[in-house]
Amino acid sequence: MTQAIPFEEEMEAPIGRTEALTPLVRRLVAPNGGPFTYRGTCSYIVGRGRVAIIDPGPDDATHVARLLDAVRGETVTHVVVTHTHRDHSPAAAAVRAATGALVVGCGPHVASRPLALGEANALDASADHAYAPDVVLADGEAVAGPHWTLTALATPGHTANHLAFALPEENTLFSGDHVMAWSTTIVAPPDGSMQAYMASLAKLKMREETIYRPGHGGPVREPQRFLRALVHHRRQREAAILNRLAAGDETIAEIVPSLYEGLPPALFGAAGLSVFAHLEDLVARRLVACDGAPTLTARYRLA
């Protein structure tokens, strides 16, 4: 049984209304709630007067209008993007057109690895291939305004190009979809990589921010405790997969029902992608073998 992660639900997120969270940070939640977006995408406005918008959200005219209304009378200098999923980056183009702001942050969408022979990318439709940044920020590079600094932190795993952003003036990390208080992160090859995801968690454990503000849901208030639970959860999931292989399961379709007892069938696909991410990592570490490259339909065995 996996260790419980200290999830926190945010039951009363004000969808479509800008709220001041701190002297430097405002939040506007997009009206795109769902199984993978929770209440909706969190767009953050950082600063006063000359501001940055982090993750402007989906291609939704109503949300863009609300964002622009929230910064009326102010100058938007930067639109900052954590990663190129359609719930985070598409509105960047509209905000840039309306404000003249620079679009900065992650690079264009790219998979974590090439497709194997005959493999399809199950999440390709969720990628924003039209995203075109003005400036790609490397790990450690920053943009700044009056009384605020946003420093990029490379955190691949959920996607290959994922960035988090540190706001040192408030000891805050905007964690995108890498760490969220309401749910674990989807890691689905070939867009995502479990090996990269775990390395990014280890990287965050070396930092000192006291609060995370994710791309969906409310804040992570005890990030170091939460990170430890996330790592432990993934290691327990890995051990459970190895146990299923030892018991004779060979395919992801066989493993998922045993690992996710009581899971609604509609979510089996997402669960299968998570198991696939673990298996791909286990094959790379030579703990598991398969004939040919790891894929969703391959047969696996203990090495």
Side-chain angles (χ1 to χ4, degrees):
M1 184 173 179
T2 57
Q3 172 179 305
I5 300 173
F7 291 128
E8 292 187 30
E9 292 194 12
E10 188 180 42
M11 301 306 296
E12 298 181 4
I15 311 302
R17 177 170 62 83
T18 304
E19 53 180 340
L21 303 177
T22 71
L24 283 178
V25 178
R26 288 165 279 173
R27 183 182 73 161
L28 176 64
V29 181
N32 63 331
F36 301 110
T37 56
Y38 194 46
R39 306 292 175 190
T41 301
C42 297
S43 296
Y44 295 99
I45 302 166
V46 178
R48 295 282 176 174
R50 293 179 63 83
V51 306
I53 295 175
I54 299 176
D55 281 353
D59 183 15
D60 181 292
T62 298
H63 181 62
V64 170
R66 288 168 175 165
L67 262 180
L68 295 175
D69 189 57
V71 296
R72 195 170 305 282
E74 299 180 286
T75 299
V76 181
T77 60
H78 300 87
V79 178
V80 182
V81 179
T82 62
H83 67 291
T84 45
H85 277 157
R86 289 185 177 276
D87 54 327
H88 287 260
S89 57
V95 176
R96 173 172 51 193
T99 65
L102 288 176
V103 175
V104 306
C106 68
H109 194 82
V110 62
S112 292
R113 59 159 175 79
L115 287 173
L117 183 65
E119 183 183 20
N121 185 347
L123 294 183
D124 190 58
S126 68
D128 177 15
H129 294 288
Y131 168 77
D134 297 301
V135 179
V136 176
L137 295 178
D139 187 66
E141 292 185 331
V143 294
H147 310 297
W148 60 265
T149 310
L150 290 172
T151 302
L153 183 67
T155 48
H158 176 62
T159 59
N161 63 352
H162 194 286
L163 297 176
F165 291 91
L167 176 66
E169 290 84 355
E170 292 189 346
N171 208 18
T172 293
L173 186 77
F174 295 95
S175 57
D177 281 4
H178 184 61
V179 178
M180 299 177 288
W182 74 282
S183 174
T184 55
T185 294
I186 294 174
V187 180
D191 268 14
S193 162
M194 186 60 68
Q195 184 177 61
Y197 169 77
M198 296 299 288
S200 294
L201 288 181
K203 183 177 185 176
L204 294 191
K205 288 174 69 178
M206 304 298 293
R207 299 184 61 86
E208 297 181 354
E209 283 85 8
T210 56
I211 190 168
Y212 290 2
R213 298 201 179 276
H216 305 276
V220 178
R221 300 185 185 279
E222 296 182 75
Q224 290 302 319
R225 174 176 172 240
F226 200 84
L227 289 170
R228 288 194 297 272
L230 286 177
V231 171
H232 190 68
H233 168 79
R234 294 292 184 174
R235 291 307 181 206
Q236 286 188 317
R237 182 71 73 203
E238 176 182 286
I241 291 170
L242 291 171
N243 287 339
R244 291 312 312 163
L245 293 175
D249 289 352
E250 295 184 337
T251 66
I252 291 172
E254 292 171 332
I255 293 170
V256 165
S258 298
L259 256 60
Y260 297 87
E261 192 172 342
L263 184 73
L267 297 179
F268 274 21
L273 289 170
S274 179
V275 171
F276 179 29
H278 278 289
L279 284 167
E280 182 178 79
D281 181 40
L282 289 165
V283 169
R285 290 156 55 196
R286 299 187 178 182
L287 296 174
V288 168
C290 68
D291 296 327
T295 66
L296 275 167
T297 57
R299 304 190 82 83
Y300 297 89
R301 62 187 182 278
L302 295 178

